[in-house]
Amino acid sequence: MAENNIPPAMFGKSNYVWMLIGAIVIALGMLLMVGGKSDDPAVFNAHEVYSTRRITIAPIVILIGLAIEGYAIFKNTTSKQ
């Protein structure tokens, strides 16, 4: 019988769960940036384009999502043998 030389998985289930949470938070930040389109292309609505939600909150949410992704990647997985 040949010995099975399958390497252990790089990430555990909890890592993938945290990666999914991070991806959802990043997507939420992207959705917060959406909008600001004017019905009339000749009119520029600076208040809508440069709103606090798009300029401050959305990038912070995206950075939080990236931090969660970093945590998910570097989280130590314990394997039971």
Side-chain angles (χ1 to χ4, degrees):
M1 239 207 262
E3 187 176 320
N4 194 357
N5 291 328
I6 298 174
M10 184 178 274
F11 299 118
K13 182 180 178 181
S14 65
N15 294 85
Y16 288 116
V17 170
W18 279 106
M19 284 182 197
L20 180 63
I21 292 169
I24 291 170
V25 171
I26 291 170
L28 177 66
M30 293 292 190
L31 287 174
L32 287 172
M33 282 192 205
V34 172
K37 181 181 176 188
S38 176
D39 293 333
D40 183 9
V43 176
F44 179 73
N45 188 356
H47 185 289
E48 184 70 23
V49 174
Y50 300 117
S51 68
T52 303
R53 182 187 70 172
R54 291 188 183 92
I55 299 300
T56 306
I57 297 171
I60 290 171
V61 170
I62 291 172
L63 288 174
I64 290 170
L66 290 172
I68 292 171
E69 290 292 336
Y71 172 76
I73 291 171
F74 289 111
K75 184 177 182 305
N76 196 5
T77 56
T78 56
S79 60
K80 297 177 185 177
Q81 294 183 3

Short mmCIF file of all heavy atoms in Angstrom, two decimals, residues 32-33 46-61:
data_model
loop_
_atom_site.label_atom_id
_atom_site.label_comp_id
_atom_site.label_asym_id
_atom_site.label_seq_id
_atom_site.Cartn_x
_atom_site.Cartn_y
_atom_site.Cartn_z
N LEU A 32 -21.38 51.53 0.00
CA LEU A 32 -21.55 52.85 0.59
C LEU A 32 -21.01 53.96 -0.32
O LEU A 32 -21.43 55.11 -0.22
CB LEU A 32 -20.85 52.92 1.95
CG LEU A 32 -21.53 52.16 3.09
CD1 LEU A 32 -20.63 52.15 4.32
CD2 LEU A 32 -22.88 52.75 3.41
N MET A 33 -20.09 53.62 -1.21
CA MET A 33 -19.54 54.62 -2.13
C MET A 33 -20.40 54.85 -3.37
O MET A 33 -20.22 55.82 -4.08
CB MET A 33 -18.14 54.18 -2.60
CG MET A 33 -17.07 54.40 -1.61
SD MET A 33 -15.49 54.17 -2.42
CE MET A 33 -14.49 53.74 -1.04
N ALA A 46 -21.96 68.87 -5.81
CA ALA A 46 -20.79 68.60 -4.96
C ALA A 46 -21.20 67.99 -3.62
O ALA A 46 -20.50 67.12 -3.09
CB ALA A 46 -19.98 69.86 -4.74
N HIS A 47 -22.32 68.42 -3.07
CA HIS A 47 -22.77 67.89 -1.78
C HIS A 47 -23.05 66.39 -1.87
O HIS A 47 -22.75 65.63 -0.95
CB HIS A 47 -24.02 68.64 -1.32
CG HIS A 47 -24.48 68.24 0.04
ND1 HIS A 47 -25.05 67.01 0.31
CD2 HIS A 47 -24.43 68.90 1.22
CE1 HIS A 47 -25.34 66.94 1.59
NE2 HIS A 47 -24.98 68.07 2.17
N GLU A 48 -23.60 65.95 -2.98
CA GLU A 48 -23.92 64.53 -3.16
C GLU A 48 -22.65 63.71 -3.41
O GLU A 48 -22.49 62.63 -2.87
CB GLU A 48 -24.90 64.37 -4.33
CG GLU A 48 -25.37 62.96 -4.55
CD GLU A 48 -26.30 62.46 -3.46
OE1 GLU A 48 -26.93 63.27 -2.77
OE2 GLU A 48 -26.38 61.23 -3.31
N VAL A 49 -21.76 64.22 -4.23
CA VAL A 49 -20.54 63.48 -4.59
C VAL A 49 -19.58 63.41 -3.41
O VAL A 49 -19.00 62.37 -3.13
CB VAL A 49 -19.87 64.13 -5.82
CG1 VAL A 49 -18.53 63.47 -6.10
CG2 VAL A 49 -20.77 64.02 -7.03
N TYR A 50 -19.40 64.52 -2.71
CA TYR A 50 -18.44 64.59 -1.62
C TYR A 50 -19.12 64.48 -0.25
O TYR A 50 -18.75 65.15 0.69
CB TYR A 50 -17.63 65.89 -1.69
CG TYR A 50 -16.85 66.01 -2.98
CD1 TYR A 50 -17.10 67.04 -3.87
CD2 TYR A 50 -15.87 65.07 -3.30
CE1 TYR A 50 -16.40 67.14 -5.05
CE2 TYR A 50 -15.16 65.17 -4.48
CZ TYR A 50 -15.43 66.21 -5.35
OH TYR A 50 -14.73 66.31 -6.51
N SER A 51 -20.07 63.59 -0.15
CA SER A 51 -20.77 63.42 1.12
C SER A 51 -19.88 62.67 2.12
O SER A 51 -18.93 61.98 1.75
CB SER A 51 -22.08 62.65 0.91
OG SER A 51 -21.81 61.32 0.55
N THR A 52 -20.19 62.82 3.39
CA THR A 52 -19.42 62.16 4.45
C THR A 52 -19.46 60.65 4.29
O THR A 52 -18.47 59.97 4.56
CB THR A 52 -20.00 62.56 5.83
OG1 THR A 52 -19.97 63.97 5.93
CG2 THR A 52 -19.20 61.95 6.96
N ARG A 53 -20.58 60.13 3.85
CA ARG A 53 -20.69 58.69 3.67
C ARG A 53 -19.69 58.18 2.64
O ARG A 53 -19.05 57.15 2.85
CB ARG A 53 -22.12 58.34 3.22
CG ARG A 53 -22.34 56.85 3.05
CD ARG A 53 -23.69 56.57 2.46
NE ARG A 53 -23.68 57.00 1.07
CZ ARG A 53 -24.65 56.75 0.22
NH1 ARG A 53 -25.73 56.13 0.60
NH2 ARG A 53 -24.57 57.16 -1.03
N ARG A 54 -19.53 58.89 1.52
CA ARG A 54 -18.64 58.43 0.46
C ARG A 54 -17.17 58.74 0.70
O ARG A 54 -16.30 58.00 0.26
CB ARG A 54 -19.07 59.05 -0.87
CG ARG A 54 -20.36 58.51 -1.35
CD ARG A 54 -20.66 58.99 -2.75
NE ARG A 54 -21.95 58.50 -3.15
CZ ARG A 54 -23.08 59.16 -2.96
NH1 ARG A 54 -23.07 60.34 -2.41
NH2 ARG A 54 -24.22 58.63 -3.33
N ILE A 55 -16.88 59.84 1.38
CA ILE A 55 -15.50 60.28 1.54
C ILE A 55 -14.87 59.76 2.83
O ILE A 55 -13.67 59.55 2.90
CB ILE A 55 -15.43 61.82 1.49
CG1 ILE A 55 -15.94 62.33 0.15
CG2 ILE A 55 -14.03 62.34 1.75
CD1 ILE A 55 -15.13 61.82 -1.03
N THR A 56 -15.66 59.54 3.87
CA THR A 56 -15.10 59.16 5.16
C THR A 56 -15.52 57.76 5.60
O THR A 56 -14.68 56.91 5.88
CB THR A 56 -15.52 60.18 6.24
OG1 THR A 56 -15.15 61.48 5.80
CG2 THR A 56 -14.84 59.89 7.56
N ILE A 57 -16.81 57.53 5.67
CA ILE A 57 -17.32 56.28 6.24
C ILE A 57 -16.97 55.07 5.37
O ILE A 57 -16.48 54.05 5.87
CB ILE A 57 -18.83 56.37 6.49
CG1 ILE A 57 -19.11 57.47 7.52
CG2 ILE A 57 -19.39 55.04 6.95
CD1 ILE A 57 -20.56 57.80 7.69
N ALA A 58 -17.20 55.16 4.06
CA ALA A 58 -16.95 54.02 3.18
C ALA A 58 -15.49 53.57 3.18
O ALA A 58 -15.21 52.38 3.31
CB ALA A 58 -17.42 54.34 1.76
N PRO A 59 -14.51 54.48 3.07
CA PRO A 59 -13.12 54.02 3.14
C PRO A 59 -12.75 53.40 4.48
O PRO A 59 -11.97 52.43 4.53
CB PRO A 59 -12.29 55.29 2.89
CG PRO A 59 -13.20 56.19 2.15
CD PRO A 59 -14.57 55.90 2.66
N ILE A 60 -13.30 53.92 5.57
CA ILE A 60 -13.03 53.32 6.88
C ILE A 60 -13.59 51.91 6.95
O ILE A 60 -12.94 50.99 7.46
CB ILE A 60 -13.59 54.22 8.01
CG1 ILE A 60 -12.77 55.50 8.10
CG2 ILE A 60 -13.59 53.49 9.34
CD1 ILE A 60 -13.36 56.55 9.02
N VAL A 61 -14.80 51.71 6.42
CA VAL A 61 -15.41 50.37 6.41
C VAL A 61 -14.56 49.42 5.56
O VAL A 61 -14.33 48.27 5.94
CB VAL A 61 -16.87 50.44 5.90
CG1 VAL A 61 -17.43 49.05 5.66
CG2 VAL A 61 -17.73 51.20 6.89
#
